[in-house]
Amino acid sequence: MNDTQLTALVEATDEGIDYDGLSVARDGDTYTFETPGTSHEGLDEDGLHEVATENPWFVSNWYFWTQADRPDPEEAFLRWLEGADETPVPERYEAMADGGLTESWGQLHIDISLGQDGQRVYTLRNEEDSDADVEALEVHTDPLDARELVKHDDRGRYRPLKTAPTLPTGWAFVDLDGRALGRAVDVIYPVTIANWHLERQGDLDVSHWVPTMERQTGIYGVIQTWDRGEGHEHVNWVAEACCDDSQCLKRREWEYDEETDLDVDGGDGEFPCREPCSMVVAAARQWTKLEAEEPKTYEFELTPSEKEQIEAIIDTVAEGEADEVREADVYDDANRYRTRFLRAKRFDEEGNLCGVPTDDE
Amino acid sequence: MQALVIVAHGSHLNPDASTPTYEHADTIREAGVFDEVETAFWKEEPSFREVLRTLESDEVYVVPLFISEGYFTEEVIPRELRLDDWDVEEWDSDGTSATHATLEADDVAKTVHYCGPVGTHDAMTDVIVRRAETVTGDPDVGDGFGLAVVGHGTERNENSAKAIEYHAERVAERDRFDEVKALFMDEDPEIDDVTDFFEAEDVIIVPLFVADGYHTQEDIPEDMGLTDDYRKGWDTPAEVDGHRIWYAGAVGTEALMADVVLERAADAGADVGNAIEEIRRRTRVAGTEDASASAGD
């Protein structure tokens, strides 16, 4: 607590203070100062100063949350981070002073510690780096640096979907105040705070599959033709392919339409997804084109192990685990040598499985 | 409070597509005349659909980092920003003359000053000329040089060619370069035959594209014969059929583009103070002195 905070406190008694357990009121020239478990009445201004100085946490907490200019969503987010609505001030301050107050947001790990005079100091990093010494990481303080930091995953691949669970490791943002933390989070996971806040207020505007696809035009207009009055199983497949926790950290809140829920789970993410994103729209366009084809019957001859191998290869690629299959692990169905052997044995020169052409010849 | 939002295409595949948008936003942010400067993308995040809800300001200037008026500026962006009362007639444009329209964004209760694209603003002509200076390293480049403004061109959108031709005419009117042409990838006159269109031995090629990507880094260099394989790169200048071709890459990556964004917002009523002059000064050809020295060598 400092003199600025004390002066602000005295000034605010004109309207009275009731915040996070701190209650201060003025009656003429005397003041009342209360916290859970303490009550001081009939204080003169010197007495108020004295009692406030004895309770610096309550005063600085009030000051931190009420005297800064923050957008509502950011304030709600910062209070949620430290559990301000349910954890008493002393408990929170002790935890922050010990460096023991942390929260996660997607793959982000956020440390909250106490700065000077009760200011919060936030540290932001990948949760996988939460046990690392900050000095061992690439340290940043400008939230906009995050734009480049999160552009590629640890394998160097471009991340077009910001909420894909592939947040790179090895960096940290330090010495952030609340504004800077909010901005950094907004760069790493855009609009997640705003939409989370809207959802908490009961105001999240969800745009379901049908209206979202109906408003598509140009090359995406074709998606509207995918609904042929045959139910919504195809949209279940889209959600299962794209909107699973293994692919995106947002929790899908959009359904087929206002009345029809999808059958697949929306995931467990903290922040909501309010409509099919541009990745889903682009993929749906391609599937719309591919799904216009009629199925055909093909006759193949495969050993049982070869059939299982093909199933395992598809599964491995779908889970993004192809790179994890060890070079010499020929016991793994999706091993490269195993796959090359299958191709050598079962593909003809045109690349047809078991020599069966795709189209009639 | 006033906010600036630069809206651009972005890409699911190319990590560099958003880079110029970020850089121009940074330049304008540093000028300090907007309370907030944000970027939004069709293919990246934040999306057009959600960007306005991240802003505190009630007055928002939206500037499309697109080259031409057409499908995106007239249909997609207003729709995705939920400018429900948008009517393209408000622009009353001939294809290159859109300035701005003021609308309410339905979901966020903000006033949106929706601007025409950067590509058709008169100040874009200056960026094209600046690009010629940058690629040659000569702030006085002109005499003995031809200049081609290159566009995609498409039969689906007649405005696409209009923007290219408009600026080519404006550059020509300055009488700075010996010859000025508008050339295209997908319509006549085609960039493949670039050397057929110029007498001048030195020819500067400025593609009117927002970001470097497939077209500017693969198609156009190969089509012009700068290289037989874009992966091998090319020289600047490169010898082609007895001409020296100075290929500038996407004009949208030129630092002075930030000025055009600001001009668009200022035309729509944004208070930009002296930021336009400031950005023109700060984005002046980096290392002009060095460039002059080498030109004089």
Side-chain angles (χ1 to χ4, degrees):
Chain A
M1 197 185 72
N2 57 29
D3 288 347
T4 308
Q5 295 172 357
L6 201 52
T7 306
L9 183 83
V10 174
E11 280 174 13
T13 55
D14 287 346
E15 293 185 3
I17 291 171
D18 185 5
Y19 198 86
D20 280 357
L22 172 68
S23 169
V24 189
R26 184 171 121 183
D27 182 10
D29 290 335
T30 62
Y31 300 87
T32 306
F33 184 102
E34 292 178 351
T35 63
T38 66
S39 178
H40 304 270
E41 294 175 14
L43 298 166
D44 60 13
E45 193 168 325
D46 285 345
L48 176 65
H49 278 207
E50 198 174 310
V51 181
T53 308
E54 286 165 7
N55 292 275
W57 288 354
F58 279 97
V59 176
S60 72
N61 181 70
W62 164 80
Y63 187 86
F64 180 77
W65 290 116
T66 62
Q67 304 299 298
D69 186 19
R70 293 187 189 88
D72 291 344
E74 192 173 284
E75 176 157 323
F77 174 67
L78 296 179
R79 282 186 62 81
W80 172 83
L81 281 181
E82 63 182 73
D85 290 338
E86 58 272 0
T87 317
V89 169
E91 213 175 297
R92 263 191 284 140
Y93 267 63
E94 278 165 19
M96 288 191 285
D98 289 347
L101 202 48
T102 63
E103 189 51 83
S104 62
W105 187 252
Q107 287 184 292
L108 291 172
H109 175 91
I110 301 164
D111 288 282
I112 311 156
S113 60
L114 273 183
Q116 217 165 13
D117 301 320
Q119 293 297 309
R120 272 60 163 170
V121 180
Y122 301 93
T123 307
L124 185 65
R125 49 189 144 163
N126 188 309
E127 59 189 353
E128 285 184 38
D129 293 325
S130 58
D131 294 331
D133 284 338
V134 168
E135 293 73 33
L137 304 170
E138 188 185 322
V139 170
H140 296 262
T141 53
D142 180 353
L144 288 175
D145 290 353
R147 288 183 308 203
E148 286 303 317
L149 282 178
V150 303
K151 205 169 221 178
H152 297 88
D153 65 18
D154 277 340
R155 289 196 272 172
R157 299 186 309 178
Y158 174 46
R159 301 173 67 240
L161 180 67
K162 294 273 200 345
T163 44
T166 54
L167 196 68
T169 56
W171 49 269
F173 284 86
V174 301
D175 293 333
L176 301 176
D177 62 14
R179 293 267 32 205
L181 175 74
R183 285 182 179 143
V185 170
D186 215 43
V187 171
I188 296 169
Y189 295 138
V191 207
T192 54
I193 294 175
N195 281 332
W196 167 87
H197 182 60
L198 285 171
E199 184 181 52
R200 277 164 54 108
Q201 291 179 308
D203 291 332
L204 184 69
D205 50 332
V206 174
S207 177
H208 297 289
W209 170 271
V210 170
T212 304
M213 297 313 152
E214 278 177 353
R215 74 164 201 271
Q216 302 302 320
T217 54
I219 60 169
Y220 301 101
V222 69
I223 302 172
Q224 293 164 32
T225 67
W226 205 6
D227 284 317
R228 301 189 196 89
E230 297 162 2
H232 59 274
E233 193 177 16
H234 60 295
V235 187
N236 282 329
W237 297 333
V238 172
E240 188 176 329
C242 302
C243 309
D244 188 80
D245 282 346
S246 67
Q247 305 302 310
C248 178
L249 298 169
K250 282 187 195 165
R251 168 174 30 86
R252 182 180 53 74
E253 287 300 304
W254 55 267
E255 305 289 350
Y256 180 63
D257 61 21
E258 195 75 44
E259 285 83 39
T260 320
D261 284 358
L262 296 180
D263 304 328
V264 292
D265 185 56
D268 298 321
E270 189 69 55
F271 28 91
C273 172
R274 43 165 298 285
E275 69 178 31
C277 67
S278 72
M279 298 273 285
V280 166
V281 171
R285 171 180 177 248
Q286 181 68 359
W287 286 319
T288 301
K289 294 196 287 183
L290 298 177
E291 288 295 299
E293 295 176 13
E294 291 297 321
K296 283 175 59 173
T297 301
Y298 297 94
E299 198 169 320
F300 299 119
E301 201 157 86
L302 299 170
T303 67
S305 291
E306 286 167 348
K307 175 177 174 290
E308 285 177 353
Q309 190 186 346
I310 290 170
E311 290 158 357
I313 290 168
I314 290 173
D315 204 42
T316 302
V317 171
E319 293 302 323
E321 292 167 354
D323 285 356
E324 289 159 32
V325 180
R326 286 172 294 174
E327 187 76 8
D329 188 0
V330 292
Y331 307 101
D332 189 316
D333 285 321
N335 172 265
R336 196 166 76 237
Y337 296 120
R338 285 278 303 278
T339 307
R340 289 178 64 85
F341 182 87
L342 183 71
R343 184 176 67 174
K345 177 184 169 189
R346 290 295 188 188
F347 282 27
D348 67 12
E349 284 173 358
E350 275 77 47
N352 290 312
L353 182 60
C354 301
V356 178
T358 303
D359 295 311
D360 296 329
E361 287 180 348
Chain B
M1 289 180 78
Q2 57 172 9
L4 174 72
V5 179
I6 307 176
V7 292
H9 194 285
S11 170
H12 288 159
L13 303 173
N14 174 7
D16 300 322
S18 53
T19 307
T21 313
Y22 290 153
E23 286 178 353
H24 304 321
D26 287 349
T27 304
I28 294 168
R29 201 174 281 119
E30 282 160 25
V33 289
F34 286 92
D35 300 290
E36 300 168 278
V37 178
E38 182 57 279
T39 54
F41 301 93
W42 174 233
K43 292 284 194 175
E44 298 179 37
E45 298 155 282
S47 64
F48 299 161
R49 191 84 173 145
E50 297 189 324
V51 65
L52 296 180
R53 65 185 56 191
T54 66
L55 304 170
E56 285 183 82
S57 308
D58 292 325
E59 297 284 323
V60 184
Y61 295 84
V62 174
V63 178
L65 203 66
F66 283 76
I67 293 301
S68 308
E69 293 174 30
Y71 177 58
F72 274 98
T73 61
E74 293 173 358
E75 192 174 328
V76 175
I77 299 168
R79 178 189 79 210
E80 297 292 303
L81 290 174
R82 291 182 250 211
L83 307 178
D84 282 359
D85 293 328
W86 164 252
D87 177 352
V88 68
E89 295 303 319
E90 292 194 50
W91 268 353
D92 186 28
S93 175
D94 63 5
T96 57
S97 62
T99 57
H100 66 278
T102 299
L103 299 129
E104 297 297 314
D106 216 34
D107 60 325
V108 287
K110 291 181 191 295
T111 301
V112 173
H113 304 275
Y114 180 51
C115 302
V118 290
T120 54
H121 195 280
D122 282 357
M124 192 68 195
T125 310
D126 297 336
V127 183
I128 292 166
V129 173
R130 176 75 71 85
R131 196 77 182 143
E133 297 170 3
T134 315
V135 70
T136 56
D138 178 4
D140 299 316
V141 66
D143 271 353
F145 277 76
L147 184 141
V149 184
V150 179
H152 193 291
T154 165
E155 285 166 6
R156 286 177 309 181
N157 175 10
E158 61 177 31
N159 288 344
S160 166
K162 276 186 189 170
I164 315 301
E165 282 157 358
Y166 180 72
H167 291 297
E169 279 167 28
R170 284 173 50 86
V171 176
E173 281 165 14
R174 296 180 182 191
D175 274 338
R176 174 169 173 167
F177 299 90
D178 289 1
E179 303 152 89
V180 181
K181 305 282 180 199
L183 302 178
F184 301 94
M185 289 179 60
D186 280 1
E187 62 183 69
D188 288 331
E190 286 199 5
I191 186 68
D192 306 36
D193 309 317
V194 55
T195 52
D196 294 352
F197 300 111
F198 289 92
E199 299 282 325
E201 194 175 326
D202 285 287
V203 180
I204 301 165
I205 310 293
V206 181
L208 212 57
F209 286 72
V210 164
D212 273 321
Y214 176 65
H215 290 314
T216 64
Q217 296 301 300
E218 300 179 27
D219 270 11
I220 296 176
E222 288 186 6
D223 288 352
M224 288 195 300
L226 297 188
T227 176
D228 54 4
D229 181 347
Y230 74 90
R231 284 165 293 200
K232 292 189 212 157
W234 55 86
D235 295 327
T236 306
E239 297 284 336
V240 179
D241 297 337
H243 292 260
R244 272 192 300 274
I245 304 291
W246 301 75
Y247 180 59
V251 71
T253 62
E254 181 66 36
L256 183 59
M257 275 290 283
D259 169 71
V260 189
V261 176
L262 263 191
E263 299 257 11
R264 275 284 181 222
D267 292 349
D271 177 6
V272 301
N274 64 353
I276 288 175
E277 296 78 39
E278 178 63 12
I279 284 177
R280 286 191 158 246
R281 190 182 63 75
R282 274 198 294 136
T283 60
R284 198 75 206 145
V285 182
T288 295
E289 288 167 17
D290 295 344
S292 306
S294 67
D297 283 346

